[in-house]
Amino acid sequence: KGEGQTVEKIFQASGQTDQKIESLVVMPGGDKIFSLGKEILIGKRVSSVKLPCLEISSVTEVMRRWVFEGGAGADVELISKEETCSESDKRSVFGLKGLLSDRCHYFKGLFSGGFRKWADGVYEFSDTSFEALRCVVLYLHTDVVELKMHFAVDVMELARQWEIPALQAGRGREIHC
């Protein structure tokens, strides 16, 4: 931490804290969000790095549209039902069971019956925001991370819960537009 820089704790899980950084995200304005044991911290103005916007390939754009809108071929619908929203405020992302299962052990267990299953390939999540769910599902399909500050902590927490080490480590093509 240098001059003009601050670190703020924004989340802490219960239990022992291991003092090693397991994941780090650099935001477009230079802020860094990182996990330190069971805490999630944000370092304000710790870097002067400005990240460029990446061009999206046509294949990535097709997969992105598929995740956001569904369509022919998508065989799973993932619904975000945040605790504060009504039944009519549910929002969905879509995907491919095989791809999600190959990239994430959580989905492999979910789709193989290790968790409660809903009918017709529709699964509901109430423990995360829609933006975080969409970001993680898009990442699992494309390796693209579309991240904004207001849901970055939710994305890190979901990556931790679902054990997605590459996303926790910040490996992905980032888009901050």
Side-chain angles (χ1 to χ4, degrees):
K1 184 165 100 162
E3 188 177 322
Q5 301 171 1
T6 62
V7 175
E8 172 187 347
K9 185 186 309 181
I10 53 180
F11 172 81
Q12 180 170 352
S14 59
Q16 289 283 6
T17 301
D18 182 13
Q19 294 298 311
K20 71 177 186 176
I21 294 177
E22 294 188 11
S23 59
L24 173 71
V25 175
V26 178
M27 299 303 293
D31 293 349
K32 292 182 182 169
I33 300 175
F34 55 97
S35 66
L36 183 63
K38 295 187 179 216
E39 299 176 339
I40 297 178
L41 305 150
I42 184 167
K44 300 277 187 182
R45 294 174 295 201
V46 294
S47 174
S48 60
V49 174
K50 297 293 183 194
L51 301 173
C53 242
L54 298 176
E55 292 293 323
I56 299 176
S57 74
S58 59
V59 172
T60 301
E61 185 57 39
V62 168
M63 290 299 286
R64 183 180 185 274
R65 194 173 327 114
W66 211 354
V67 167
F68 290 5
E69 301 171 13
D75 58 359
V76 64
E77 179 179 6
L78 308 170
I79 298 174
S80 172
K81 169 92 171 62
E82 297 175 56
E83 292 178 13
T84 58
C85 74
S86 67
E87 192 70 21
S88 63
D89 289 334
K90 292 180 182 179
R91 298 190 286 173
S92 299
V93 295
F94 304 87
L96 303 170
K97 284 184 182 180
L99 184 59
L100 290 167
S101 295
D102 283 348
R103 303 264 339 252
C104 177
H105 293 295
Y106 174 84
F107 282 110
K108 188 174 192 169
L110 179 71
F111 299 147
S112 68
F115 294 88
R116 183 175 163 214
K117 182 179 179 184
W118 287 267
D120 301 323
V122 177
Y123 300 84
E124 191 171 291
F125 299 86
S126 60
D127 59 348
T128 190
S129 68
F130 167 74
E131 291 85 0
L133 179 63
R134 182 174 65 181
C135 183
V136 171
V137 171
L138 179 65
Y139 170 78
L140 291 171
H141 282 80
T142 65
D143 282 338
V144 170
V145 181
E146 290 189 13
L147 195 60
K148 295 200 186 289
M149 187 64 167
H150 71 277
F151 60 86
V153 173
D154 293 341
V155 169
M156 285 186 64
E157 179 59 20
L158 203 53
R160 186 190 66 76
Q161 285 177 9
W162 290 356
E163 299 178 9
I164 308 171
L167 184 55
Q168 287 179 289
R171 290 189 299 246
R173 296 178 301 150
E174 296 182 27
I175 299 176
H176 304 281
C177 299

